[in-house]
Tab-separated table of all heavy atoms in Angstrom:
chain	number	residue	atom	x	y	z
Y	1	ALA	N	-30.867	53.656	102.604
Y	1	ALA	CA	-32.301	53.893	102.491
Y	1	ALA	C	-33.119	52.699	102.979
Y	1	ALA	O	-34.112	52.856	103.701
Y	1	ALA	CB	-32.654	54.231	101.043
Y	2	LEU	N	-32.713	51.506	102.594
Y	2	LEU	CA	-33.430	50.310	103.042
Y	2	LEU	C	-33.306	50.129	104.547
Y	2	LEU	O	-34.270	49.725	105.220
Y	2	LEU	CB	-32.899	49.081	102.301
Y	2	LEU	CG	-33.158	49.060	100.785
Y	2	LEU	CD1	-32.378	47.927	100.126
Y	2	LEU	CD2	-34.648	48.925	100.478
Y	3	ASN	N	-32.150	50.436	105.082
Y	3	ASN	CA	-31.968	50.344	106.523
Y	3	ASN	C	-32.883	51.328	107.253
Y	3	ASN	O	-33.469	50.996	108.290
Y	3	ASN	CB	-30.510	50.610	106.889
Y	3	ASN	CG	-30.268	50.488	108.380
Y	3	ASN	OD1	-30.425	49.418	108.968
Y	3	ASN	ND2	-29.886	51.591	109.017
Y	4	ARG	N	-33.022	52.543	106.687
Y	4	ARG	CA	-33.905	53.533	107.330
Y	4	ARG	C	-35.345	53.044	107.321
Y	4	ARG	O	-36.064	53.184	108.323
Y	4	ARG	CB	-33.807	54.873	106.584
Y	4	ARG	CG	-34.677	55.984	107.218
Y	4	ARG	CD	-34.181	56.333	108.608
Y	4	ARG	NE	-35.077	57.232	109.328
Y	4	ARG	CZ	-36.053	56.841	110.151
Y	4	ARG	NH1	-36.273	55.527	110.340
Y	4	ARG	NH2	-36.792	57.710	110.789
Y	5	LEU	N	-35.800	52.456	106.226
Y	5	LEU	CA	-37.163	51.926	106.190
Y	5	LEU	C	-37.350	50.809	107.204
Y	5	LEU	O	-38.415	50.689	107.826
Y	5	LEU	CB	-37.487	51.415	104.784
Y	5	LEU	CG	-37.590	52.448	103.664
Y	5	LEU	CD1	-37.933	51.759	102.350
Y	5	LEU	CD2	-38.617	53.527	103.976
Y	6	SER	N	-36.324	49.990	107.379
Y	6	SER	CA	-36.440	48.857	108.310
Y	6	SER	C	-36.598	49.324	109.751
Y	6	SER	O	-37.037	48.546	110.606
Y	6	SER	CB	-35.222	47.941	108.186
Y	6	SER	OG	-34.068	48.533	108.757
Y	7	MET	N	-36.253	50.575	110.029
Y	7	MET	CA	-36.437	51.117	111.370
Y	7	MET	C	-37.882	51.544	111.620
Y	7	MET	O	-38.284	51.750	112.759
Y	7	MET	CB	-35.521	52.326	111.581
Y	7	MET	CG	-34.047	52.003	111.543
Y	7	MET	SD	-33.055	53.518	111.738
Y	7	MET	CE	-31.396	52.837	111.519
Y	8	LEU	N	-38.660	51.664	110.548
Y	8	LEU	CA	-40.044	52.107	110.676
Y	8	LEU	C	-40.994	50.955	110.986
Y	8	LEU	O	-41.977	51.126	111.699
Y	8	LEU	CB	-40.504	52.785	109.386
Y	8	LEU	CG	-39.735	54.019	108.935
Y	8	LEU	CD1	-40.259	54.485	107.584
Y	8	LEU	CD2	-39.844	55.129	109.962
Y	9	MET	N	-40.708	49.788	110.391
Y	9	MET	CA	-41.588	48.629	110.555
Y	9	MET	C	-40.838	47.380	110.128
Y	9	MET	O	-39.727	47.462	109.605
Y	9	MET	CB	-42.870	48.800	109.733
Y	9	MET	CG	-42.638	48.889	108.245
Y	9	MET	SD	-44.164	49.325	107.344
Y	9	MET	CE	-44.408	51.018	107.914
Y	10	GLU	N	-41.444	46.242	110.360
Y	10	GLU	CA	-40.810	44.980	109.978
Y	10	GLU	C	-40.556	44.963	108.470
Y	10	GLU	O	-41.449	45.295	107.685
Y	10	GLU	CB	-41.707	43.806	110.347
Y	10	GLU	CG	-41.951	43.623	111.830
Y	10	GLU	CD	-42.918	42.482	112.067
Y	10	GLU	OE1	-42.581	41.335	111.681
Y	10	GLU	OE2	-44.011	42.734	112.608
Y	11	PRO	N	-39.346	44.582	108.052
Y	11	PRO	CA	-39.036	44.577	106.621
Y	11	PRO	C	-40.020	43.780	105.776
Y	11	PRO	O	-40.300	44.162	104.630
Y	11	PRO	CB	-37.628	43.984	106.574
Y	11	PRO	CG	-37.020	44.372	107.891
Y	11	PRO	CD	-38.161	44.271	108.872
Y	12	ARG	N	-40.570	42.691	106.298
Y	12	ARG	CA	-41.481	41.862	105.499
Y	12	ARG	C	-42.758	42.614	105.105
Y	12	ARG	O	-43.478	42.193	104.195
Y	12	ARG	CB	-41.841	40.587	106.262
Y	12	ARG	CG	-42.621	40.840	107.534
Y	12	ARG	CD	-42.972	39.560	108.274
Y	12	ARG	NE	-43.714	39.823	109.513
Y	12	ARG	CZ	-45.020	40.015	109.567
Y	12	ARG	NH1	-45.748	39.946	108.454
Y	12	ARG	NH2	-45.617	40.257	110.711
Y	13	LYS	N	-43.039	43.727	105.757
Y	13	LYS	CA	-44.222	44.527	105.452
Y	13	LYS	C	-43.960	45.578	104.373
Y	13	LYS	O	-44.866	46.315	103.997
Y	13	LYS	CB	-44.724	45.241	106.716
Y	13	LYS	CG	-45.160	44.327	107.842
Y	13	LYS	CD	-45.623	45.151	109.025
Y	13	LYS	CE	-46.107	44.283	110.183
Y	13	LYS	NZ	-46.564	45.105	111.336
Y	14	ILE	N	-42.723	45.644	103.882
Y	14	ILE	CA	-42.309	46.721	102.982
Y	14	ILE	C	-42.129	46.184	101.558
Y	14	ILE	O	-41.499	45.142	101.347
Y	14	ILE	CB	-41.004	47.373	103.479
Y	14	ILE	CG1	-41.224	47.945	104.893
Y	14	ILE	CG2	-40.538	48.463	102.516
Y	14	ILE	CD1	-39.955	48.450	105.552
Y	15	TYR	N	-42.657	46.921	100.581
Y	15	TYR	CA	-42.621	46.543	99.175
Y	15	TYR	C	-41.994	47.684	98.380
Y	15	TYR	O	-42.386	48.841	98.534
Y	15	TYR	CB	-44.040	46.257	98.664
Y	15	TYR	CG	-44.692	45.079	99.360
Y	15	TYR	CD1	-45.228	45.203	100.650
Y	15	TYR	CD2	-44.758	43.839	98.741
Y	15	TYR	CE1	-45.809	44.123	101.294
Y	15	TYR	CE2	-45.349	42.747	99.380
Y	15	TYR	CZ	-45.860	42.900	100.651
Y	15	TYR	OH	-46.430	41.822	101.295
Y	16	ILE	N	-41.033	47.345	97.525
Y	16	ILE	CA	-40.271	48.349	96.802
Y	16	ILE	C	-40.485	48.209	95.288
Y	16	ILE	O	-40.237	47.149	94.709
Y	16	ILE	CB	-38.759	48.236	97.097
Y	16	ILE	CG1	-38.481	48.312	98.610
Y	16	ILE	CG2	-37.990	49.312	96.331
Y	16	ILE	CD1	-38.789	49.646	99.250
Y	17	LEU	N	-40.940	49.290	94.666
Y	17	LEU	CA	-41.084	49.401	93.215
Y	17	LEU	C	-40.104	50.475	92.743
Y	17	LEU	O	-40.074	51.563	93.315
Y	17	LEU	CB	-42.520	49.816	92.871
Y	17	LEU	CG	-42.827	50.180	91.416
Y	17	LEU	CD1	-42.754	48.942	90.536
Y	17	LEU	CD2	-44.191	50.841	91.312
Y	18	PRO	N	-39.286	50.220	91.730
Y	18	PRO	CA	-38.308	51.221	91.318
Y	18	PRO	C	-38.921	52.346	90.479
Y	18	PRO	O	-39.865	52.146	89.723
Y	18	PRO	CB	-37.309	50.415	90.482
Y	18	PRO	CG	-38.135	49.307	89.898
Y	18	PRO	CD	-39.138	48.960	90.966
Y	19	GLY	N	-38.355	53.541	90.654
Y	19	GLY	CA	-38.667	54.676	89.798
Y	19	GLY	C	-37.460	55.032	88.952
Y	19	GLY	O	-36.423	54.360	89.014
Y	20	ASN	N	-37.557	56.090	88.202
Y	20	ASN	CA	-36.447	56.454	87.319
Y	20	ASN	C	-35.167	56.778	88.097
Y	20	ASN	O	-34.064	56.377	87.712
Y	20	ASN	CB	-36.839	57.620	86.413
Y	20	ASN	CG	-37.252	58.864	87.173
Y	20	ASN	OD1	-38.060	58.792	88.102
Y	20	ASN	ND2	-36.733	60.017	86.782
Y	21	HIS	N	-35.287	57.482	89.220
Y	21	HIS	CA	-34.089	57.849	89.986
Y	21	HIS	C	-33.377	56.632	90.570
Y	21	HIS	O	-32.180	56.707	90.863
Y	21	HIS	CB	-34.448	58.827	91.104
Y	21	HIS	CG	-34.548	60.244	90.653
Y	21	HIS	ND1	-33.557	61.175	90.868
Y	21	HIS	CD2	-35.521	60.892	89.972
Y	21	HIS	CE1	-33.912	62.339	90.350
Y	21	HIS	NE2	-35.111	62.196	89.805
Y	22	ASP	N	-34.081	55.545	90.734
Y	22	ASP	CA	-33.459	54.339	91.285
Y	22	ASP	C	-32.509	53.678	90.294
Y	22	ASP	O	-31.808	52.721	90.656
Y	22	ASP	CB	-34.543	53.357	91.734
Y	22	ASP	CG	-35.399	53.931	92.840
Y	22	ASP	OD1	-34.823	54.430	93.826
Y	22	ASP	OD2	-36.640	53.907	92.716
Y	23	TYR	N	-32.474	54.188	89.067
Y	23	TYR	CA	-31.523	53.705	88.072
Y	23	TYR	C	-30.401	54.712	87.793
Y	23	TYR	O	-29.537	54.444	86.957
Y	23	TYR	CB	-32.250	53.391	86.760
Y	23	TYR	CG	-33.290	52.302	86.877
Y	23	TYR	CD1	-34.646	52.618	86.957
Y	23	TYR	CD2	-32.939	50.952	86.908
Y	23	TYR	CE1	-35.621	51.622	87.055
Y	23	TYR	CE2	-33.894	49.951	87.005
Y	23	TYR	CZ	-35.229	50.298	87.074
Y	23	TYR	OH	-36.191	49.304	87.171
Y	24	TYR	N	-30.413	55.868	88.473
Y	24	TYR	CA	-29.371	56.871	88.220
Y	24	TYR	C	-28.000	56.321	88.623
Y	24	TYR	O	-27.852	55.722	89.689
Y	24	TYR	CB	-29.663	58.147	88.997
Y	24	TYR	CG	-30.665	59.073	88.326
Y	24	TYR	CD1	-31.516	58.618	87.317
Y	24	TYR	CD2	-30.766	60.412	88.704
Y	24	TYR	CE1	-32.427	59.466	86.708
Y	24	TYR	CE2	-31.669	61.262	88.093
Y	24	TYR	CZ	-32.506	60.792	87.104
Y	24	TYR	OH	-33.410	61.633	86.495
Y	25	HIS	N	-27.007	56.537	87.763
Y	25	HIS	CA	-25.659	55.999	87.934
Y	25	HIS	C	-25.701	54.467	87.998
Y	25	HIS	O	-24.892	53.837	88.686
Y	25	HIS	CB	-24.990	56.575	89.188
Y	25	HIS	CG	-24.953	58.071	89.195
Y	25	HIS	ND1	-24.124	58.798	88.369
Y	25	HIS	CD2	-25.677	58.977	89.903
Y	25	HIS	CE1	-24.329	60.088	88.587
Y	25	HIS	NE2	-25.268	60.229	89.505
Y	26	PHE	N	-26.653	53.913	87.267
Y	26	PHE	CA	-26.871	52.470	87.212
Y	26	PHE	C	-27.412	52.179	85.818
Y	26	PHE	O	-27.257	52.989	84.912
Y	26	PHE	CB	-27.848	52.065	88.331
Y	26	PHE	CG	-27.975	50.586	88.576
Y	26	PHE	CD1	-26.860	49.814	88.863
Y	26	PHE	CD2	-29.220	49.970	88.522
Y	26	PHE	CE1	-26.975	48.449	89.084
Y	26	PHE	CE2	-29.350	48.614	88.754
Y	26	PHE	CZ	-28.218	47.849	89.031
Y	27	ASN	N	-28.041	51.032	85.625
Y	27	ASN	CA	-28.548	50.695	84.295
Y	27	ASN	C	-29.965	50.139	84.355
Y	27	ASN	O	-30.355	49.501	85.337
Y	27	ASN	CB	-27.606	49.716	83.590
Y	27	ASN	CG	-27.565	48.362	84.253
Y	27	ASN	OD1	-28.376	47.482	83.950
Y	27	ASN	ND2	-26.631	48.161	85.176
Y	28	ILE	N	-30.710	50.388	83.294
Y	28	ILE	CA	-32.127	50.042	83.255
Y	28	ILE	C	-32.356	48.539	83.231
Y	28	ILE	O	-33.462	48.062	83.539
Y	28	ILE	CB	-32.786	50.719	82.034
Y	28	ILE	CG1	-34.305	50.825	82.211
Y	28	ILE	CG2	-32.441	49.989	80.748
Y	28	ILE	CD1	-34.718	51.834	83.226
Y	29	SER	N	-31.323	47.774	82.900
Y	29	SER	CA	-31.458	46.315	82.846
Y	29	SER	C	-31.005	45.655	84.154
Y	29	SER	O	-30.863	44.438	84.209
Y	29	SER	CB	-30.654	45.748	81.675
Y	29	SER	OG	-29.291	46.111	81.780
Y	30	GLY	N	-30.815	46.459	85.193
Y	30	GLY	CA	-30.256	45.931	86.437
Y	30	GLY	C	-31.258	45.540	87.493
Y	30	GLY	O	-30.925	45.501	88.695
Y	31	ASP	N	-32.493	45.216	87.098
Y	31	ASP	CA	-33.527	44.908	88.088
Y	31	ASP	C	-33.172	43.732	88.993
Y	31	ASP	O	-33.523	43.731	90.175
Y	31	ASP	CB	-34.867	44.634	87.403
Y	31	ASP	CG	-35.649	45.912	87.130
Y	31	ASP	OD1	-35.124	47.001	87.405
Y	31	ASP	OD2	-36.800	45.804	86.638
Y	32	GLU	N	-32.499	42.732	88.462
Y	32	GLU	CA	-32.192	41.577	89.309
Y	32	GLU	C	-31.228	41.957	90.439
Y	32	GLU	O	-31.335	41.435	91.553
Y	32	GLU	CB	-31.625	40.433	88.465
Y	32	GLU	CG	-32.679	39.710	87.651
Y	32	GLU	CD	-33.877	39.256	88.491
Y	32	GLU	OE1	-33.661	38.572	89.521
Y	32	GLU	OE2	-35.013	39.612	88.141
Y	33	ARG	N	-30.313	42.860	90.163
Y	33	ARG	CA	-29.420	43.311	91.235
Y	33	ARG	C	-30.192	44.122	92.275
Y	33	ARG	O	-29.967	43.973	93.484
Y	33	ARG	CB	-28.274	44.136	90.666
Y	33	ARG	CG	-27.208	44.453	91.713
Y	33	ARG	CD	-25.927	44.966	91.108
Y	33	ARG	NE	-24.921	45.184	92.135
Y	33	ARG	CZ	-23.743	45.752	91.917
Y	33	ARG	NH1	-23.411	46.140	90.685
Y	33	ARG	NH2	-22.898	45.931	92.911
Y	34	LEU	N	-31.110	44.975	91.814
Y	34	LEU	CA	-31.934	45.730	92.762
Y	34	LEU	C	-32.828	44.790	93.565
Y	34	LEU	O	-32.991	44.958	94.772
Y	34	LEU	CB	-32.769	46.758	92.004
Y	34	LEU	CG	-32.004	47.849	91.240
Y	34	LEU	CD1	-32.984	48.824	90.587
Y	34	LEU	CD2	-31.030	48.580	92.142
Y	35	ARG	N	-33.417	43.814	92.894
Y	35	ARG	CA	-34.233	42.819	93.604
Y	35	ARG	C	-33.413	42.138	94.699
Y	35	ARG	O	-33.891	41.942	95.826
Y	35	ARG	CB	-34.760	41.768	92.630
Y	35	ARG	CG	-35.534	40.640	93.312
Y	35	ARG	CD	-35.638	39.417	92.424
Y	35	ARG	NE	-36.507	39.636	91.297
Y	35	ARG	CZ	-37.825	39.391	91.318
Y	35	ARG	NH1	-38.398	38.916	92.416
Y	35	ARG	NH2	-38.547	39.609	90.242
Y	36	GLY	N	-32.171	41.784	94.370
Y	36	GLY	CA	-31.323	41.121	95.354
Y	36	GLY	C	-31.073	41.985	96.573
Y	36	GLY	O	-31.068	41.478	97.710
Y	37	MET	N	-30.882	43.277	96.381
Y	37	MET	CA	-30.667	44.181	97.505
Y	37	MET	C	-31.916	44.266	98.381
Y	37	MET	O	-31.829	44.243	99.612
Y	37	MET	CB	-30.278	45.569	96.993
Y	37	MET	CG	-28.958	45.616	96.247
Y	37	MET	SD	-28.629	47.234	95.503
Y	37	MET	CE	-28.301	48.206	96.974
Y	38	VAL	N	-33.070	44.358	97.727
Y	38	VAL	CA	-34.330	44.448	98.466
Y	38	VAL	C	-34.582	43.166	99.261
Y	38	VAL	O	-34.928	43.207	100.453
Y	38	VAL	CB	-35.492	44.732	97.489
Y	38	VAL	CG1	-36.841	44.547	98.171
Y	38	VAL	CG2	-35.365	46.140	96.921
Y	39	GLU	N	-34.417	42.035	98.615
Y	39	GLU	CA	-34.698	40.771	99.290
Y	39	GLU	C	-33.674	40.463	100.371
Y	39	GLU	O	-34.009	39.866	101.401
Y	39	GLU	CB	-34.785	39.653	98.258
Y	39	GLU	CG	-35.994	39.829	97.338
Y	39	GLU	CD	-36.130	38.748	96.284
Y	39	GLU	OE1	-35.155	37.954	96.109
Y	39	GLU	OE2	-37.194	38.691	95.633
Y	40	ALA	N	-32.417	40.894	100.182
Y	40	ALA	CA	-31.411	40.715	101.230
Y	40	ALA	C	-31.762	41.520	102.477
Y	40	ALA	O	-31.387	41.146	103.594
Y	40	ALA	CB	-30.031	41.115	100.715
Y	41	ALA	N	-32.508	42.613	102.286
Y	41	ALA	CA	-32.956	43.428	103.421
Y	41	ALA	C	-34.233	42.884	104.046
Y	41	ALA	O	-34.765	43.478	104.989
Y	41	ALA	CB	-33.173	44.870	102.962
Y	42	GLY	N	-34.739	41.767	103.507
Y	42	GLY	CA	-35.949	41.151	104.047
Y	42	GLY	C	-37.231	41.757	103.530
Y	42	GLY	O	-38.311	41.474	104.048
Y	43	MET	N	-37.125	42.580	102.477
Y	43	MET	CA	-38.280	43.269	101.918
Y	43	MET	C	-38.714	42.609	100.613
Y	43	MET	O	-38.153	41.598	100.197
Y	43	MET	CB	-37.944	44.752	101.714
Y	43	MET	CG	-37.544	45.455	103.001
Y	43	MET	SD	-37.028	47.171	102.738
Y	43	MET	CE	-36.324	47.537	104.369
Y	44	ASN	N	-39.707	43.181	99.969
Y	44	ASN	CA	-40.333	42.577	98.800
Y	44	ASN	C	-40.153	43.462	97.574
Y	44	ASN	O	-40.425	44.666	97.615
Y	44	ASN	CB	-41.833	42.382	99.055
Y	44	ASN	CG	-42.103	41.618	100.335
Y	44	ASN	OD1	-42.068	40.392	100.361
Y	44	ASN	ND2	-42.371	42.340	101.413
Y	45	TRP	N	-39.741	42.857	96.468
Y	45	TRP	CA	-39.550	43.544	95.199
Y	45	TRP	C	-40.826	43.402	94.387
Y	45	TRP	O	-41.340	42.294	94.219
Y	45	TRP	CB	-38.371	42.922	94.468
Y	45	TRP	CG	-38.109	43.379	93.082
Y	45	TRP	CD1	-38.400	42.706	91.920
Y	45	TRP	CD2	-37.469	44.592	92.681
Y	45	TRP	NE1	-37.976	43.437	90.828
Y	45	TRP	CE2	-37.401	44.596	91.268
Y	45	TRP	CE3	-36.937	45.680	93.386
Y	45	TRP	CZ2	-36.825	45.648	90.548
Y	45	TRP	CZ3	-36.366	46.717	92.673
Y	45	TRP	CH2	-36.319	46.695	91.272
Y	46	VAL	N	-41.370	44.502	93.856
Y	46	VAL	CA	-42.684	44.421	93.215
Y	46	VAL	C	-42.719	45.073	91.835
Y	46	VAL	O	-43.679	45.749	91.476
Y	46	VAL	CB	-43.801	44.991	94.115
Y	46	VAL	CG1	-44.063	44.050	95.269
Y	46	VAL	CG2	-43.484	46.398	94.612
Y	47	GLN	N	-41.674	44.873	91.047
Y	47	GLN	CA	-41.745	45.265	89.640
Y	47	GLN	C	-42.580	44.245	88.885
Y	47	GLN	O	-42.279	43.049	88.906
Y	47	GLN	CB	-40.345	45.337	89.031
Y	47	GLN	CG	-40.298	45.735	87.575
Y	47	GLN	CD	-40.702	47.176	87.340
Y	47	GLN	OE1	-41.896	47.468	87.346
Y	47	GLN	NE2	-39.730	48.051	87.132
C-alpha cells in the first residue's frame, strides 16, 4: 500500500493516520512499528 502511494507523488508529501482496520491482525499498542514502516517509506506518521 505504501509503495502504491509513493507512485502517486513524492513520499515526503504523504501523511498517514491509522484507522481501525490498520490494526487488524495486529495490536492496538503497535503504533511505533507502524510509524517505523511509514517513515522507512519516506512518509510522515501523524497519530
Side-chain angles (χ1 to χ4, degrees):
L2 295 170
N3 182 63
R4 182 65 188 93
L5 293 181
S6 73
M7 295 178 184
L8 300 175
M9 63 188 68
E10 296 177 61
R12 64 180 179 84
K13 298 180 179 180
I14 301 172
Y15 297 77
I16 305 293
L17 172 69
N20 59 312
H21 278 258
D22 298 310
Y23 298 102
Y24 278 18
H25 304 288
F26 191 56
N27 67 87
I28 201 72
S29 58
D31 275 4
E32 285 308 307
R33 188 166 183 187
L34 297 182
R35 176 199 290 270
M37 296 174 71
V38 168
E39 293 180 349
M43 301 176 191
N44 307 277
W45 173 256
V46 288
Q47 180 69 282

